Amino acid sequence: MKKWIGIWVLLVCILSCDDDNEKVDSIELSASMLNYESEGGEQGILIQSSTDWAVTSDAAWCFVQDHKETGQFSVIVSENDDFNPRMTVLKLIAGNCVKEVDILQKGQTGDLSLSEYKASVYDLNDNYAVIVHAKKPWTTKVSGNWLSVEPSGGEAGTHLVRLRFSENKILADRMGTISFESAGSENCLFEFTQEAALPDSRKQDSLALLKLYDAIGGDQMKAAGYLKNWKVGPLENWDSDMMRDGRVVKVALRGNIGKDGYIPEDVKYLSHLEEFTASATFIGGELPEGFARCKLLKILRISNGFESSNGNLTGELPRKWCVLRNLYEVDFEKNKLIGSLPLEYGNLSGLHFFVVSNNEMSGTLPTVWSNIPQISRLELASNNFTGEVPEEWAVWTNITILDLAKNSGLSGVLPVELLTTAQNNGGAVSLNGTNIITK
């Protein structure tokens, strides 16, 4: 009898060990889907897990706060100012168990909405852009004789509207308003402010460069063998390639800029600047709106040349840059930028190259970018973009490189014209790691 009891105990032990080896973690949720109105909001989900858990969101408009002490987490969604609904997926991980929660948000439901309702620009004359989403024909009324609108009205659909303004030569801000009106709907009022006149001189160039020198840790860079002549005598002695006709037209940074280095807003005083590059650096922080005052700017390149890691640029692309009609090349490859592609960049009529590969950006591909007629190279690989490639992009006759690879949220059918145009121009379209198909 004792022999049989011993065998039974041995079998139980063996079975217990097998159960431990095959243990599967579990997650139980109070909801697997959350729905939000266009204005956004906050909702909570209760969670029961067999082990420690974590939840992540890849969308800049969807934020997650965990409250592990109470066994729940909150999902906070910002306002959706587009007519189109949007979706993202939260991932919950507990040990070897993974579950997903679908987050759905409605688009605007009114007859008329704008991409934004308030903006400010610098003192120099130029034009800004705002996106109009309309379900019915619309018109505009402008207050401010220094401000005009093009077009002044339109049919139902999504439209890029240019707000043209003259130079502000007075030492005070001025404000204009634009009333967007659609039959049978409430009016949308857009408030537009132009800042007071700013100094524009060679002295301001040197002061702006001194601010930049301090912001990037200039003394440490000098010690490392860079910026050797900066702060030595007149500007011409600092860098011979920097000046033309007594003004700063080019700033080229290269070297071991520390992780605390950033670009100050004072670049707005470099009103003759045509090129700003920072390559093979770890320059960080948010991109300054101040570049929007550099109306002659053609090249803006801040990319990381190191294979082992990304750079440190953070935050979103400033909408204010939509005034830079001379901008030819933008390159922010290998950084940590978030947010979506600004709709207002459809105003960048001079743009040829746009590269933001290897960042953390998200959102859909803007239909209104079809207004960029000259674009030939668009690289968006290794981000979190979603949705379909707009059919409207088929109008791009100069497209040579279109790189959408490693954006698993992209789907649908690629407009055949984009593929054939790129190939005819001697280039290619890259779709690896997406769910886009070709016909």
Side-chain angles (χ1 to χ4, degrees):
M1 184 67 177
K2 291 182 178 179
K3 179 180 178 180
W4 288 110
I5 292 174
I7 293 174
W8 174 253
V9 171
L10 180 61
L11 286 172
V12 170
C13 290
I14 292 173
L15 291 173
S16 297
C17 291
D18 288 343
D19 288 344
D20 289 340
N21 290 337
E22 297 178 3
K23 180 182 179 181
V24 177
D25 293 311
S26 63
I27 300 175
E28 296 294 334
L29 301 173
S30 60
S32 60
M33 178 186 295
L34 295 178
N35 289 280
Y36 290 81
E37 298 297 324
S38 60
E39 59 266 25
E42 179 177 350
Q43 298 185 57
I45 291 182
L46 298 175
I47 178 171
Q48 290 184 342
S49 171
S50 61
T51 186
D52 190 33
W53 54 272
V55 55
T56 59
S57 168
D58 290 333
W61 51 270
C62 180
F63 309 90
V64 177
Q65 291 182 343
D66 64 63
H67 308 285
K68 293 186 177 181
E69 66 281 0
T70 57
Q72 59 182 315
F73 61 89
S74 299
V75 183
I76 304 168
V77 170
S78 61
E79 183 178 4
N80 185 3
D81 56 14
D82 197 338
F83 278 159
N84 297 317
R86 55 188 180 184
M87 172 185 177
T88 190
V89 178
L90 304 182
K91 287 188 177 181
L92 292 100
I93 301 175
N96 53 26
C97 183
V98 178
K99 284 199 173 183
E100 295 182 342
V101 176
D102 294 332
I103 306 299
L104 306 175
Q105 186 180 23
K106 296 179 180 178
Q108 293 286 337
T109 57
D111 291 336
L112 190 68
S113 70
L114 308 176
S115 57
E116 56 182 330
Y117 295 87
K118 181 182 295 186
S120 65
V121 295
Y122 293 107
D123 56 320
L124 301 180
N125 66 299
D126 217 315
N127 74 72
Y128 193 77
V130 63
I131 309 300
V132 178
H133 304 285
K135 292 184 178 180
K136 297 179 180 180
W138 55 277
T139 59
T140 58
K141 292 181 180 179
V142 179
S143 172
N145 57 13
W146 52 275
L147 177 64
S148 63
V149 180
E150 182 184 308
S152 58
E155 299 299 318
T158 299
H159 304 269
L160 184 145
V161 177
R162 292 180 172 89
L163 315 181
R164 302 187 183 278
F165 50 91
S166 60
E167 181 177 357
N168 186 6
K169 297 182 179 181
I170 62 176
L171 300 178
D173 293 352
R174 58 183 179 182
M175 177 178 285
T177 58
I178 305 164
S179 177
F180 291 83
E181 304 175 358
S182 176
S185 70
E186 295 183 2
N187 298 343
C188 294
L189 189 66
F190 186 90
E191 297 180 351
F192 196 67
T193 302
Q194 187 178 29
E195 296 183 8
L198 296 175
D200 185 9
S201 67
R202 177 188 173 94
K203 179 180 179 180
Q204 292 302 321
D205 282 3
S206 60
L207 292 175
L209 289 180
L210 288 174
K211 288 285 188 180
L212 178 62
Y213 180 90
D214 291 337
I216 62 176
D219 289 340
Q220 290 78 14
M221 290 190 69
K222 266 196 172 185
Y226 303 98
L227 306 180
K228 292 182 179 180
N229 295 322
W230 281 47
K231 298 177 68 176
V232 178
L235 282 175
E236 287 81 355
N237 293 351
W238 292 23
D239 186 340
S240 58
D241 293 333
M242 186 184 297
M243 307 291 294
R244 187 173 67 239
D245 298 329
R247 302 302 297 269
V248 173
V249 297
K250 178 180 178 180
V251 174
L253 302 174
R254 185 178 180 86
N256 187 21
I257 297 175
K259 291 187 177 181
D260 292 331
Y262 66 97
I263 305 172
E265 286 290 337
D266 296 78
V267 293
K268 67 184 180 182
Y269 293 109
L270 300 174
S271 58
H272 287 61
L273 187 67
E274 297 177 7
E275 179 178 345
F276 186 101
T277 61
S279 56
T281 73
F282 287 104
I283 200 164
E286 296 192 2
L287 291 163
E289 290 187 341
F291 278 124
R293 191 175 182 268
C294 305
K295 60 180 297 184
L296 301 179
L297 192 63
K298 298 177 182 177
I299 298 175
L300 187 50
R301 187 188 304 127
I302 307 170
S303 57
N304 176 25
F306 301 99
E307 293 295 330
S308 59
S309 64
N310 281 11
N312 296 303
L313 287 179
T314 59
E316 302 186 11
L317 295 172
R319 288 181 174 183
K320 215 170 193 177
W321 289 1
C322 71
V323 301
L324 297 173
R325 289 177 295 164
N326 290 303
L327 198 57
Y328 185 93
E329 177 182 348
V330 172
D331 186 352
F332 298 133
E333 184 178 13
K334 295 190 71 174
N335 278 285
K336 296 181 176 66
L337 296 176
I338 62 171
S340 58
L341 298 171
L343 304 180
E344 294 83 358
Y345 284 15
N347 191 47
L348 299 177
S349 55
L351 192 64
H352 283 65
F353 304 147
F354 188 89
V355 181
V356 291
S357 299
N358 292 283
N359 278 275
E360 300 170 10
M361 299 185 68
S362 59
T364 57
L365 306 182
T367 299
V368 292
W369 277 33
S370 59
N371 288 281
I372 309 176
Q374 305 299 327
I375 196 159
S376 60
R377 180 178 174 184
L378 180 62
E379 299 186 26
L380 309 177
S382 298
N383 281 282
N384 302 303
F385 294 114
T386 56
E388 300 185 3
V389 179
E391 293 183 4
E392 289 80 359
W393 286 10
V395 301
W396 290 341
T397 57
N398 294 321
I399 195 69
T400 302
I401 300 295
L402 178 61
D403 189 357
L404 305 175
K406 297 182 180 179
N407 284 282
S408 60
L410 290 178
S411 59
V413 180
L414 180 76
V416 65
E417 296 89 350
L418 282 175
L419 181 60
T420 55
T421 301
Q423 292 173 340
N424 291 339
N425 289 337
V429 175
S430 179
L431 304 175
N432 295 333
T434 73
N435 290 298
I436 301 172
I437 61 174
T438 57
K439 287 187 176 180

